[in-house]
Amino acid sequence: MFTSLIFILCSVIAPLLTGEDDLLPAPQNVSIHSTNMKHFLTWSPVTVPGETVRYSVEFQGEYERTYVNKSWIPISECSLIMVTQCNVTDDISANVPYNLRVRAKLGSQGSKWSALDELFDRKMTLLTPPLMRVFADGYHLLVELEDLGPAFQFHVVYWRKGRESWVHNKTVKKISSVVHLDSMEAGAEYCVTAQTYVEAINRSSNFSQMQCVHGPDGSRSTWMTTTMMSFAGFLIGVLALPFLAWKMSQIIQYSCCPVVVLPDTLKIRESPALLIPCRREETERCDVAVHVIPPEERLRAWIQDAL
């Protein structure tokens, strides 16, 4: 009887002394994977048959360790999640060592915290060469680069094959759809390679695999240019010929059959029907006013004047 009582007391008191955190096993294999400034904390799942285990993640920076009594800050996006990874990129925002930990949760039961074996600094991220596509558009050498985010820049190196001593460098700080590198010579082959650079951590990746592209063939290009110019000249001729013919007809008509314009003083402003009667009346008045003297009368008048 006494033994049974002791067993019951132990079964009741033991969970209170050990705490509920020991009822679930802690997550194992906690590690962080970081590539191109993207940081993910991962761990092995805690399996409970017939149950869904959830997980919560916290981080601790240099400031928390030094000035805030080694406190931990919960990551809200990774609180009671069902997956076994957490994106901690936004929380690791400085070039200082960080520690991260995770624990399992099932209802009111929780496990102990499992932390990283070593502190993590974002300078340790793995930088990979950028994906790129090199192509020619006419005589323009173009490259299309992978967009890795605003923190990334790209160092692009290109040269004409056979002239490796003349290597050109170009820094691309803002990614657009296509970047123009240089003008190409006809029939020449150009090669391009690039590497990523992150100013925040002052690190660069390795260079990408070299890609080469040929410029357009010179003879073909010349033939196409000549053809286009000829076609343009033909169109101009077809459009301009009617206008030139009309203009020449105007010049010939003016030269051979000019149009005579009377001065304003010679222009008849009254109706011809009104002018004819006026002239007839003036003529009759002139006939009445003029009197012809015979020679005998003139002689007689002269003799009288002499006497």
Side-chain angles (χ1 to χ4, degrees), residues 43-227:
W43 56 89
S44 299
V46 175
T47 303
V48 177
E51 300 291 344
T52 300
V53 179
R54 297 177 181 270
Y55 307 93
S56 294
V57 179
E58 297 179 348
F59 77 91
Q60 182 186 80
E62 187 176 54
Y63 179 80
E64 289 76 23
R65 284 194 305 273
T66 305
Y67 301 103
V68 197
N69 196 24
K70 298 183 178 180
S71 62
W72 292 81
I73 300 177
I75 299 178
S76 58
E77 295 82 0
C78 299
S79 178
L80 299 178
I81 58 176
M82 292 183 291
V83 296
T84 58
Q85 73 171 14
C86 172
N87 186 349
V88 297
T89 302
D90 295 336
D91 302 283
I92 300 179
S93 56
N95 296 333
V96 298
Y98 285 83
N99 197 3
L100 295 108
R101 66 181 186 179
V102 59
R103 74 168 180 173
K105 195 78 173 177
L106 180 59
S108 60
Q109 301 176 1
S111 71
K112 290 183 177 181
W113 290 96
S114 295
L116 291 172
D117 294 333
E118 297 180 359
L119 300 182
F120 171 75
D121 192 320
R122 67 178 186 174
K123 292 182 180 179
M124 302 163 58
T125 188
L126 173 65
L127 297 180
T128 62
L131 299 177
M132 68 176 187
R133 182 173 68 94
V134 180
F135 59 99
D137 184 6
Y139 287 95
H140 300 287
L141 178 63
L142 306 174
V143 61
E144 186 176 6
L145 294 164
E146 176 186 13
D147 188 359
L148 295 175
F152 284 80
Q153 300 178 16
F154 299 90
H155 294 159
V156 183
V157 179
Y158 60 95
W159 63 94
R160 177 179 172 178
K161 205 165 186 180
R163 295 183 184 177
E164 283 75 7
S165 58
W166 294 83
V167 175
H168 302 274
N169 295 273
K170 186 168 187 176
T171 299
V172 180
K173 295 184 178 181
K174 185 177 180 180
I175 292 298
S176 57
S177 57
V178 174
V179 179
H180 180 269
L181 296 179
D182 207 345
S183 297
M184 308 174 67
E185 296 181 15
E189 184 179 8
Y190 289 78
C191 297
V192 182
T193 184
Q195 67 175 172
T196 57
Y197 172 72
V198 181
E199 186 177 7
I201 61 176
N202 193 26
R203 282 189 53 209
S204 300
S205 72
N206 295 327
F207 277 95
S208 63
Q209 186 176 1
M210 179 180 63
Q211 294 185 29
C212 299
V213 63
H214 281 276
D217 182 65
S219 58
R220 180 180 179 182
S221 176
T222 302
W223 178 81
M224 291 183 65
T225 302
T226 304
T227 303

Side-chain angles (χ1 to χ4, degrees), residues 285-305:
R285 285 199 299 269
C286 291
D287 292 342
V288 173
V290 177
H291 177 69
V292 179
I293 300 174
E296 300 85 28
E297 292 183 3
R298 283 186 291 176
L299 179 61
R300 188 182 300 113
W302 180 76
I303 293 173
Q304 289 178 357
D305 291 339

Side-chain angles (χ1 to χ4, degrees), residues 248-269:
M248 288 298 297
S249 66
Q250 294 293 319
I251 294 173
I252 294 173
Q253 182 180 1
Y254 180 79
S255 300
C256 299
C257 303
V259 178
V260 179
V261 180
L262 291 175
D264 293 339
T265 56
L266 298 180
K267 292 180 179 179
I268 299 175
R269 296 182 174 85

